[in-house]
Amino acid sequence: MSDKKQEMSTKYDPTAVEKGRYNEWLDEGVFSPSGDKKAKPFSIVLPPPNVTGKLHLGHAWDTTLQDMIIRRKRMQGYDTLWLPGMDHAGIATQAKVEAKLRKQGISRYDLGREKFVEKVWEWKDDFARTIKEQWAKLGLSLDYSRERFTLDKGLSKAVRKVFVSLYNKGLIYRGEYIINWDPQARTALSDIEVIHKDDKGAFYHVKYPFTDGSTFNGKDYIEIATTRPETMMGDTAVAVNPSDKRYKDIVGKKVLVPLINREVPIIADQYVDPDFGTGMVKITPAHDPNDFKVGNRHDLKRINTMNEDATMNENAGKYKGMDRFEARKAMVKDLEDEGLMLSIDPIVHSVGHSERTGVQVEARLSTQWFVKMKPLAEQAIKNQDTNDKVNFFPDRFEGTFEQWMGNVHDWVISRQLWWGHQIPAWYNKKTGETYVGMEAPKDAENWEQDPDVLDTWFSSALWPFSTMGWPDDTEDMKRYFPTDTLVTGYDIIFFWVSRMIFQSLEFTKERPFKDVLLHGLIRDSQGRKMSKSLGNGIDPMDVIDKYGADALRWFLSIGGTPGQDLKFSYDKMDSAWNFINKIWNASRYVIMNLDGIDKPQLPDQSEWQLSDKWILSRLNSTINRVSELFEKYNFGEADRYLYDFIWNDFCDWYIEMSKEALNSDDEKLKKNTQNILAYVLDQTLRLLQPIMPFVTEYIWQMMPHEGKSLVTAAYPVDHKEFDDPTSEHQMQSLIDLITAVRNIRNEANAPLSSPIDMLIQTDNDTLKDIFESNREYIDRFCHTQELKIGKDIEAPKLSMSAVITDATIYVPLAELVDLKDEQARVQKDVDKFESEVARSDKKLANKRFVDNAPEAVVEEEKTKQADYQSKLDAAKERLQQISSEM
């Protein structure tokens, strides 16, 4: 033990504590499943981070919560699997690599598909190494032997299996539709990959002349307003609502599309809102999803006027080759020059932008692959009415999930990228026939594979079961699927959570996970979203370098509430470090006082002192409450219980009280106290281990202990024999007494070193016995010179006082007491107790509270009411005494 004492410095140093520890855990194999077939399995799959860069604070939060869950379950004896992996992140990764190449003056087209994909693999390998280093720095207890990647061989097989199966069932189809198009990445986007932002724009009011010389309201043209004149070259009709009587005489007539002079009909369609603008709209089927539907109903031609990169094509006439926004300016000028522009009204409107590249999205006519969502969504919604539903935490997100699934559109799954799972479809070079299969056709030379890849969410939607070896019937699939808990941000319910649920139900007939815990976003101290433009981003690795991984993990654990955002601040990080330093110093004190203790063993219960009974009862309450809250994923509240127990009960009170026994000549008492100190510290470290694994392992290894690592030590359990409400009540009376006297000393500026006389007036014989039998504690903590306890105590004329439950304390400090100050101080107590009594009275007068709250809660409130009333009466009596002395 002496060598170990020297290793514990006087101050917590996270760098020294954490150094080499993670590799020791890996070498010992403590993160792997136990292999105990009798143990209940518990599994989590890590939401795979994108190989687009380093992990951010959101990842640190997400993974810390998962690690806490899996570490605790491991300690509870479960056969745990936490399976790691990463996502190829199609468009996001390709966009990063293309941006890097652009700086070198190279495009992917210069390299060709094969060479470009090699460059992306190089990128992936670099950032995968970085991410794994960050996982290690955070202390994540992952089973690396099962690590997966969404483009590895096994997952690729699963992706092909799902695509082929859905295609054969008619749930995947190919068709020409209006889709969201990213002109920079040159790929389709799903609806949820489009971010809407307010942009400055305008309504351009343009003349569309009648072709036959007709007039309307005395004019030979109709007025059409558009925000996108660059799409006019694709107009194939003008539409009005059939119920709009204003236009019934012009339906069927034709007008000329300005600048191109194409004749287009005026049609009637219910899509048009007669109350918006003029009630007339231009129809451009190749450039607007609603116009596309109108065009289908009226058999209108689809004229695409843009290239993949949003430059104008041959259908745009003289504007061919121009960028879309340059073309807009040119067309507006030409319309003005030709007298066809009526007016321009500036507006601010919501415009879709690519989530990945940030450019303005185009609605573009394109042939794409789609998943027919209705039957899959209905199956997912129906499952929520069964015992095998997915449990959402907080449960309000279940409604969010069901609402989205009930209104979901078909999912465009093809992407015009080179990085990803290439679609397993081939087209015959001669006949155009389509073949979809797990492998290429045998006569591959006669076929050409679809060049597109699948949306990255298509493969990540299979993550919970593809990582277990599906579609093969693997041992991991049998034992660890469905997984138990998914932890992720509420912002990807639609992107990922929903898709995992419907794909799992479709292909495994089971939910992918039992519970899904949804957390919020991490914001800066002002509540702003972290971004490069604001310069308020925080690198979690920098935080760890300064404070240690355990301090960051504690902040992330205690600061969050399920479903809510979390504000980061360095003040909170300072508090986290200070708390660990408190644990460190308390542990150091205990370890320094364990000489001769090789195996901590609790003494017989008959030998426990009041403080021993109290701390063990408080420990058991903390174990039960923390366990209960962890099961509900309410980590912040659990941590607050832990914090109060450690800081207040153990450090501030029990350790201080233990000094009496440790310094006494009673060897039996000393040994008993050593054992209880060691036991409580050991159990406390076990409670803390899932949250702050590095420092708890370090301290535990310094103590007498059994076992290889705290990682696999048993988690604390309920010991009903420790529960002792009577001792807790008695000890609380002592704490209240000592605290009250300390407050009096502070207010009177009487240092603790100066002895004081103390009088305790109480009618409660039990309380009198408690104080009498614990005089040594009162003397030690209050530094009393003379102590009187009794029923008939009279208040000294010049004294300061305090009211606690069933007792009034008097401290004669004649030279220090100003009766006016004492009167004001006691008046504050009267006001405080009156407020509490009034609050309690109001609560108990509330019939809904009394009738609906649990009986124990109502009784607790009645007890509080009686206690506050008693204190109020005593404070008022003391106030009268002071008044009579003035």
Side-chain angles (χ1 to χ4, degrees):
M1 185 67 76
S2 58
D3 292 340
K4 291 181 178 180
K5 277 192 292 185
Q6 291 172 7
E7 291 177 36
M8 286 199 74
S9 61
T10 55
K11 187 178 179 183
Y12 166 58
D13 177 1
T15 303
V17 166
E18 294 169 17
K19 186 179 180 181
R21 178 61 63 187
Y22 194 76
N23 286 333
E24 287 180 23
W25 284 328
L26 292 180
D27 292 342
E28 292 166 357
V30 293
F31 298 160
S32 301
S34 67
D36 182 359
K37 298 301 181 185
K38 294 180 181 178
K40 189 175 179 181
F42 187 95
S43 60
I44 295 177
V45 289
L46 179 84
N50 296 345
V51 287
T52 49
K54 299 176 181 178
L55 302 181
H56 53 66
L57 264 179
H59 289 117
W61 191 15
D62 193 79
T63 53
T64 293
L65 298 183
Q66 292 170 72
D67 197 31
M68 287 163 49
I69 294 168
I70 207 79
R71 281 179 178 272
R72 179 170 171 271
K73 290 297 181 182
R74 187 182 292 119
M75 294 177 75
Q76 288 180 315
Y78 285 79
D79 176 26
T80 55
L81 168 62
W82 189 16
L83 191 149
M86 300 179 203
D87 196 319
H88 69 282
I91 186 172
T93 306
Q94 180 159 321
K96 291 274 190 181
V97 177
E98 286 197 82
K100 182 180 177 182
L101 291 173
R102 274 197 299 274
K103 291 178 181 177
Q104 302 169 15
I106 306 171
S107 80
R108 62 168 153 150
Y109 302 102
D110 296 328
L111 294 174
R113 184 167 191 150
E114 188 175 336
K115 291 288 185 185
F116 175 76
V117 170
E118 286 179 11
K119 291 288 185 185
V120 187
W121 275 106
E122 289 173 12
W123 172 284
K124 177 263 176 188
D125 291 340
D126 285 345
F127 280 94
R129 277 193 295 272
T130 300
I131 288 169
K132 289 181 77 168
E133 288 169 3
Q134 292 178 307
W135 285 345
K137 206 165 180 177
L138 280 161
L140 306 184
S141 58
L142 297 157
D143 178 13
Y144 291 103
S145 70
R146 287 172 167 84
E147 184 182 348
R148 305 304 296 268
F149 181 56
T150 49
L151 280 179
D152 70 26
K153 187 176 179 181
L155 271 68
S156 295
K157 179 181 177 182
V159 167
R160 292 196 305 277
K161 174 75 173 176
V162 167
F163 188 97
V164 172
S165 299
L166 290 176
Y167 178 81
N168 290 336
K169 285 184 72 170
L171 293 177
I172 281 184
Y173 63 94
R174 190 169 185 249
E176 190 178 48
Y177 288 89
I178 292 286
I179 47 89
N180 302 301
W181 184 263
D182 181 328
Q184 182 171 307
R186 300 191 195 184
T187 183
L189 302 172
S190 65
D191 289 345
I192 51 179
E193 291 172 302
V194 177
I195 307 297
H196 285 83
K197 302 176 184 176
D198 285 343
D199 283 354
K200 291 180 180 179
F203 266 126
Y204 301 91
H205 297 263
V206 182
K207 295 179 182 179
Y208 279 57
F210 286 103
T211 59
D212 60 1
S214 299
T215 59
F216 178 72
N217 289 341
K219 297 169 183 173
D220 62 354
Y221 61 84
I222 59 173
E223 178 183 337
I224 297 295
T226 179
T227 59
R228 307 190 65 219
E230 66 272 21
T231 65
M232 286 170 50
M233 300 301 183
D235 290 355
T236 53
V238 168
V240 299
N241 192 289
S243 64
D244 196 334
K245 294 179 180 178
R246 293 174 295 175
Y247 304 125
K248 62 184 177 61
D249 293 335
I250 63 171
V251 172
K253 291 185 179 294
K254 293 184 177 180
V255 292
L256 290 174
V257 177
L259 302 180
I260 199 168
N261 292 327
R262 177 190 303 124
E263 289 190 5
V264 298
I266 298 175
I267 61 174
D269 193 278
Q270 289 289 348
Y271 158 67
V272 184
D273 181 357
D275 297 323
F276 182 77
T278 62
M280 286 188 282
V281 295
K282 72 187 194 73
I283 302 299
T284 318
H287 289 280
D288 184 274
N290 293 310
D291 292 5
F292 176 79
K293 294 174 184 176
V294 174
N296 286 350
R297 287 195 288 271
H298 296 270
D299 198 25
L300 299 175
K301 191 176 180 182
R302 302 165 186 164
I303 304 173
N304 190 343
T305 66
M306 286 188 199
N307 297 311
E308 290 183 353
D309 61 354
T311 57
M312 308 308 290
N313 64 19
E314 62 278 0
N315 291 326
K318 72 174 190 176
Y319 308 102
K320 178 184 175 182
M322 288 187 180
D323 171 79
R324 53 183 166 167
F325 300 121
E326 290 175 9
R328 178 187 295 181
K329 291 177 184 176
M331 289 181 187
V332 168
K333 184 177 185 304
D334 290 345
L335 287 168
E336 289 175 329
D337 290 347
E338 294 182 24
L340 294 170
M341 184 69 75
L342 290 166
S343 64
I344 301 174
D345 300 331
I347 60 168
V348 174
H349 59 154
S350 181
V351 178
H353 292 72
S354 169
E355 181 198 29
R356 298 303 182 186
T357 65
V359 300
Q360 187 171 310
V361 168
E362 280 295 331
R364 187 171 187 267
L365 184 66
S366 180
T367 300
Q368 302 287 343
W369 288 92
F370 294 83
V371 173
K372 193 179 291 183
M373 283 301 304
K374 188 176 180 183
L376 296 169
E378 286 175 348
Q379 184 175 230
I381 294 170
K382 186 178 179 182
N383 187 68
Q384 289 304 105
D385 291 328
T386 71
N387 292 331
D388 289 324
K389 65 180 284 189
V390 173
N391 303 301
F392 285 79
F393 294 84
D395 59 8
R396 68 177 183 274
F397 286 113
E398 182 175 1
T400 304
F401 162 74
E402 291 184 344
Q403 183 178 12
W404 187 75
M405 293 301 285
N407 295 289
V408 71
H409 300 114
D410 283 1
W411 174 19
V412 56
I413 55 171
S414 46
R415 297 289 183 271
Q416 289 63 55
L417 304 171
W418 291 350
W419 173 245
H421 294 278
Q422 195 167 349
I423 289 174
W426 288 260
Y427 310 113
N428 191 286
K429 294 176 183 178
K430 292 181 180 177
T431 66
E433 175 192 352
T434 300
Y435 163 79
V436 171
M438 292 292 290
E439 305 296 339
K442 291 180 180 178
D443 55 335
E445 68 277 4
N446 297 321
W447 299 78
E448 184 177 359
Q449 187 173 1
D450 193 310
D452 290 353
V453 300
L454 288 163
D455 176 14
T456 192
W457 297 105
F458 191 91
S459 52
S460 57
L462 317 180
W463 188 250
F465 53 97
S466 64
T467 53
M468 300 290 181
W470 185 94
D472 296 335
D473 189 22
T474 65
E475 289 303 312
D476 278 0
M477 188 72 188
K478 292 174 188 173
R479 181 147 182 82
Y480 298 112
F481 186 84
T483 63
D484 288 271
T485 305
L486 174 78
V487 181
T488 191
Y490 62 59
D491 54 327
I492 57 171
I493 291 179
F494 314 133
F495 287 97
W496 192 43
V497 176
S498 300
R499 287 169 175 166
M500 282 189 287
I501 292 172
F502 73 69
Q503 291 286 46
S504 181
L505 291 170
E506 174 67 18
F507 288 99
T508 73
K509 308 306 176 190
E510 294 188 85
R511 58 189 173 180
F513 27 77
K514 296 168 187 171
D515 297 341
V516 53
L517 170 62
L518 295 156
H519 58 76
L521 305 174
I522 294 193
R523 300 181 178 275
D524 70 9
S525 57
Q526 299 176 45
R528 301 174 301 178
K529 191 172 181 179
M530 292 184 179
S531 68
K532 288 182 180 177
S533 59
L534 289 173
N536 62 346
I538 303 291
D539 186 336
M541 299 305 116
D542 291 343
V543 178
I544 290 174
D545 287 340
K546 184 176 181 181
Y547 295 96
D550 288 325
L552 177 59
R553 289 170 63 111
W554 176 258
F555 159 72
L556 294 170
S557 174
I558 196 171
T561 301
Q564 301 297 316
D565 292 347
L566 172 62
K567 290 181 183 179
F568 178 86
S569 80
Y570 283 105
D571 286 344
K572 292 176 182 175
M573 285 307 307
D574 288 335
S575 296
W577 186 91
N578 286 334
F579 177 50
I580 299 177
N581 194 53
K582 179 90 168 179
I583 296 167
W584 179 268
N585 288 329
S587 302
R588 185 170 177 272
Y589 165 81
V590 172
I591 291 168
M592 287 174 66
N593 283 282
L594 291 185
D595 289 332
I597 302 293
D598 296 322
K599 182 182 176 183
Q601 188 172 356
L602 285 178
D604 187 83
Q605 203 160 351
S606 63
E607 297 175 0
W608 296 357
Q609 304 295 304
L610 172 61
S611 59
D612 301 334
K613 296 175 186 176
W614 169 75
I615 196 64
L616 290 169
S617 184
R618 292 291 304 121
L619 172 66
N620 207 46
S621 297
T622 303
I623 289 169
N624 287 322
R625 191 69 178 125
V626 167
S627 295
E628 177 190 342
L629 290 165
F630 253 72
E631 290 300 320
K632 296 176 181 177
Y633 306 111
N634 197 338
F635 304 121
E637 194 64 23
D639 290 352
R640 281 183 276 280
Y641 268 86
L642 259 175
Y643 180 94
D644 287 343
F645 171 75
I646 294 166
W647 193 290
N648 299 322
D649 298 341
F650 188 54
C651 295
D652 286 357
W653 290 104
Y654 187 74
I655 283 180
E656 288 302 312
M657 289 183 166
S658 73
K659 292 174 182 177
E660 281 292 315
L662 294 176
N663 292 324
S664 76
D665 296 327
D666 187 335
E667 288 300 319
K668 182 72 171 174
L669 176 63
K670 181 178 179 179
K671 188 174 181 181
N672 286 352
T673 303
Q674 287 176 316
N675 276 293
I676 291 174
L677 275 169
Y679 178 83
V680 175
L681 178 58
D682 172 89
Q683 293 292 293
T684 301
L685 293 173
R686 292 171 193 243
L687 286 172
L688 284 168
Q689 195 274 335
I691 311 163
M692 45 179 79
F694 289 103
V695 70
T696 53
E697 179 77 84
Y698 188 97
I699 295 169
W700 194 74
Q701 294 293 346
M702 295 295 102
M703 296 176 61
H705 67 272
E706 290 183 323
K708 179 170 58 176
S709 170
L710 188 57
V711 172
T712 50
Y715 194 77
V717 295
D718 178 26
H719 284 278
K720 287 188 168 41
E721 68 274 19
F722 289 177
D723 291 336
D724 193 340
T726 301
S727 292
E728 286 201 46
H729 175 73
Q730 292 178 356
M731 188 66 186
Q732 192 58 51
S733 296
L734 272 176
I735 290 172
D736 289 346
L737 170 68
I738 294 164
T739 302
V741 174
R742 283 176 171 174
N743 290 339
I744 288 172
R745 278 186 176 275
N746 286 337
E747 291 191 36
N749 292 317
L752 189 60
S753 58
S754 60
I756 57 169
D757 292 338
M758 204 165 93
L759 296 86
I760 304 173
Q761 191 276 321
T762 179
D763 295 336
N764 187 317
D765 291 336
T766 302
L767 190 60
K768 181 177 182 294
D769 291 342
I770 294 168
F771 293 153
E772 289 285 5
S773 59
N774 288 280
R775 276 178 173 262
E776 70 276 13
Y777 287 132
I778 298 173
D779 288 341
R780 173 180 173 79
F781 287 98
C782 300
H783 198 180
T784 55
Q785 183 169 263
E786 182 180 3
L787 173 62
K788 291 183 179 178
I789 308 169
K791 186 183 298 184
D792 301 321
I793 297 288
E794 288 190 14
K797 271 198 170 184
L798 291 175
S799 64
M800 295 181 73
S801 62
V803 175
I804 61 172
T805 302
D806 290 338
T808 302
I809 305 152
Y810 302 102
V811 179
L813 295 167
E815 70 282 7
L816 297 173
V817 175
D818 182 311
L819 286 178
K820 286 187 177 179
D821 289 345
E822 178 68 355
Q823 184 183 45
R825 196 175 65 79
V826 176
Q827 183 62 57
K828 283 183 183 178
D829 284 345
V830 170
D831 295 342
K832 179 179 74 174
F833 294 138
E834 280 181 340
S835 175
E836 290 294 347
V837 168
R839 182 201 58 77
S840 196
D841 285 346
K842 185 177 179 182
K843 197 168 186 179
L844 290 170
N846 184 336
K847 194 170 185 300
R848 286 181 61 188
F849 168 73
V850 175
D851 292 344
N852 298 319
E855 186 178 343
V857 174
V858 176
E859 287 304 313
E860 183 182 2
E861 191 59 43
K862 287 179 179 178
T863 301
K864 284 182 185 178
Q865 181 196 45
D867 185 40
Y868 286 130
Q869 186 62 57
S870 172
K871 288 176 178 176
L872 175 61
D873 293 343
K876 283 182 173 179
E877 183 179 339
R878 174 58 180 153
L879 199 60
Q880 286 180 345
Q881 290 173 348
I882 294 169
S883 298
S884 66
E885 293 169 5
M886 293 175 69

